[in-house]
Amino acid sequence: MGVVSLKDILLISFFLFASLANSLPLSTNGRWVVDSMTGKRVKLQCINWASHMQSMVVEGLDKKPLPEIVDSMSSLGFNCVRLTYATYMFTRLDYGTRTVDHSFTSLNLTEARDGIAKNNPSLLNLTVVEAYHKVVDELGAKGIMVVLDNHISRPNWCCSENDGNGFFGDEYFDAEEWLEGLTIVARRFKYYPQVVAMSMRNELRGPRQAQPDWFRWVGRGGRRIHFVNPKLLVIVSGLSYDTDLSFLPRNLSVNLGNKLVYEGHWYAFSSGRRKAWVNGPLDKVCATTMKEFDDRIYFVTKGKNPVPLFASDFGVDQRGLNQGDNMFISCFLAYAAERDLDWALWALQGSYYIRENKTDFEETYGVLDKNWDQPRNPKFRERYRLVE
């Protein structure tokens, strides 16, 4: 193979971005996400990339330069990123004004801080909000669409029933502050064409969850985003960790025009079935699970007022060591391909700066290995080509 010149690289980057720009903004037409100008289908083939943890900085910047990480997404076949964030980063000055350096120093993440100084030195003295913008800039420059996902309020690992971030009114989940955060983020990224959607909240859950509160606050959140930035798709999650939309009428009672998308999550352990995937019989477990997914989530794509469905959070142990995960993913990929779903896999990151009090925590569900050098599963593209 010949040497690729800088001119060649610039030309490739130009055409990637030109291709992206010609597909934006996005809208909906029935159950499909489409190019607003041409009406042609635009399929979201996304990867989740975490930026909602204690540092409030996207994972991996201690391992590789930002451009290399973004390049790896394209080489793996992803055309978009579900980029997570924590509400407090945008609503509370004592969070958002921390520099990257200060954020890592305050968490005693010395090795990770030194890794960022080596691989991404220009980011070290930026605030965490400025660094987040730089990530979005780099994604846009490389032709990657961005879905901004409000993953949590107080920066931390997600999700549990009692983490204080589960539902409106929880300890760290003030509904009015959440609305303020959505407003700030929608306004901040209004003129970023690569930002095509906002997901209002990840995995609503816990003992407080109630349908009347869901309708009240989700309705207000959707209207707020649409008013501030009407070009964006507004992605709406249900209850019980995004596994249940069955309480809905066939459309949300919010005037979002052709910008409404629903999302659903599913894993081998959803509905308490992790052991079932191992014990089998597989055909019965798969059929039962996908029937439940149809009834609780996929039904929104049908009927008189169909709406697109974004399977925005699913995944497995990429090492292939978990038998239940292996059985589940074969079933789910076939289902997603048959129904031609838009999707986002969990997750890109091979490691976290810190997770659950452990530094350099390895993410076995991560597509990249712990050193962020290569796919954790060498057959990744082959296995996931079915849904591309």
Side-chain angles (χ1 to χ4, degrees):
M1 182 182 293
V3 176
V4 179
S5 68
L6 176 60
K7 180 179 179 181
D8 291 332
I9 293 173
L10 291 173
L11 282 171
I12 291 170
S13 297
F14 170 78
F15 285 116
L16 278 172
F17 186 75
S19 175
L20 170 65
N22 287 335
S23 298
L24 306 179
L26 302 180
S27 297
T28 67
N29 183 1
R31 64 147 294 186
W32 305 110
V33 174
V34 299
D35 179 330
S36 294
M37 297 297 293
T38 67
K40 292 182 178 179
R41 167 82 187 283
V42 177
K43 185 170 184 175
L44 301 178
Q45 300 172 175
C46 312
I47 187 72
N48 282 275
W49 191 8
S51 187
H52 65 274
M53 303 285 272
Q54 291 99 313
S55 70
M56 297 174 287
V57 175
V58 288
E59 305 295 334
L61 297 182
D62 59 333
K63 306 287 188 180
K64 296 292 178 183
L66 175 60
E68 287 188 22
I69 296 174
V70 174
D71 286 341
S72 71
M73 299 177 193
S74 296
S75 68
L76 289 167
F78 302 109
N79 65 9
C80 90
V81 169
R82 184 173 178 251
L83 187 65
T84 71
Y85 71 89
T87 299
Y88 286 8
M89 187 172 75
F90 292 100
T91 58
R92 301 193 178 191
L93 287 177
D94 58 331
Y95 282 79
T97 57
R98 296 177 195 176
T99 65
V100 173
D101 191 352
H102 176 226
S103 181
F104 281 81
T105 301
S106 66
L107 293 167
N108 294 317
L109 297 175
T110 304
E111 289 188 16
R113 183 261 176 216
D114 292 346
I116 294 175
K118 175 185 175 182
N119 290 297
N120 294 281
S122 64
L123 301 181
L124 205 58
N125 292 320
L126 299 181
T127 68
V128 292
V129 171
E130 291 169 340
Y132 193 85
H133 275 264
K134 288 293 185 182
V135 172
V136 175
D137 286 339
E138 184 65 28
L139 290 165
K142 298 295 177 61
I144 304 289
M145 293 179 286
V146 181
V147 175
L148 301 176
D149 170 62
N150 178 227
H151 212 71
I152 205 163
S153 292
R154 178 175 176 260
N156 213 333
W157 175 244
C158 176
C159 303
S160 73
E161 292 282 309
N162 57 3
D163 61 8
N165 280 277
F167 200 72
F168 308 107
D170 279 359
E171 181 179 3
Y172 306 116
F173 194 171
D174 178 85
E176 292 292 349
E177 183 176 9
W178 171 75
L179 285 176
E180 179 190 357
L182 294 180
T183 305
I184 292 169
V185 172
R187 184 177 294 123
R188 269 187 170 275
F189 293 96
K190 187 172 184 177
Y191 301 106
Y192 287 67
Q194 66 270 38
V195 176
V196 297
M198 281 181 62
S199 176
M200 278 195 283
R201 187 68 174 200
N202 180 71
E203 298 196 349
L204 293 167
R205 62 196 179 277
R208 286 182 180 272
Q209 63 179 347
Q211 293 176 19
D213 289 335
W214 185 94
F215 279 102
R216 177 190 179 192
W217 291 110
V218 169
R220 289 184 64 182
R223 289 191 294 270
R224 185 72 63 88
I225 293 170
H226 191 59
F227 176 77
V228 174
N229 192 344
K231 291 183 179 180
L232 291 178
L233 296 176
V234 178
I235 300 177
V236 176
S237 64
L239 297 172
S240 301
Y241 292 86
D242 287 6
T243 65
D244 188 12
L245 291 163
S246 62
F247 57 91
L248 290 176
R250 284 300 189 263
N251 210 335
L252 186 65
S253 57
V254 180
N255 182 17
L256 299 178
N258 57 354
K259 298 295 184 178
L260 173 64
V261 176
Y262 287 117
E263 65 180 322
H265 297 180
W266 214 269
Y267 286 84
F269 50 78
S270 297
S271 293
R273 284 207 180 94
R274 186 184 287 282
K275 290 184 179 179
W277 289 103
V278 177
N279 297 333
L282 179 58
D283 57 345
K284 183 177 180 179
V285 175
C286 181
T288 300
T289 301
M290 294 305 98
K291 173 67 163 56
E292 186 173 0
F293 192 90
D294 274 342
D295 293 343
R296 296 180 66 172
I297 301 176
Y298 182 72
F299 75 90
V300 299
T301 68
K302 302 176 180 179
K304 294 181 179 180
N305 299 300
V307 177
L309 177 65
F310 182 34
S312 60
D313 202 325
F314 72 97
V316 293
D317 186 332
Q318 290 289 335
R319 299 171 300 175
L321 301 178
N322 186 307
Q323 185 180 355
D325 276 1
N326 294 340
M327 298 299 100
F328 160 76
I329 200 63
S330 296
C331 172
F332 190 80
L333 290 178
Y335 175 92
E338 179 183 358
R339 285 157 175 74
D340 201 5
L341 294 178
D342 298 279
W343 52 269
L345 183 68
W346 186 272
L348 178 71
Q349 58 270 5
S351 64
Y352 298 93
Y353 306 121
I354 184 170
R355 174 177 154 183
E356 297 166 297
N357 297 318
K358 182 179 179 181
T359 59
D360 199 26
F361 186 103
E362 183 170 9
E363 173 59 277
T364 58
Y365 279 47
V367 171
L368 297 178
D369 65 15
K370 189 176 182 182
N371 293 323
W372 295 64
D373 288 324
Q374 58 192 352
R376 189 179 299 274
N377 180 349
K379 295 184 178 180
F380 174 82
R381 286 301 302 271
E382 178 182 332
R383 187 168 200 182
Y384 288 84
R385 194 177 302 278
L386 185 67
V387 291
E388 288 184 6

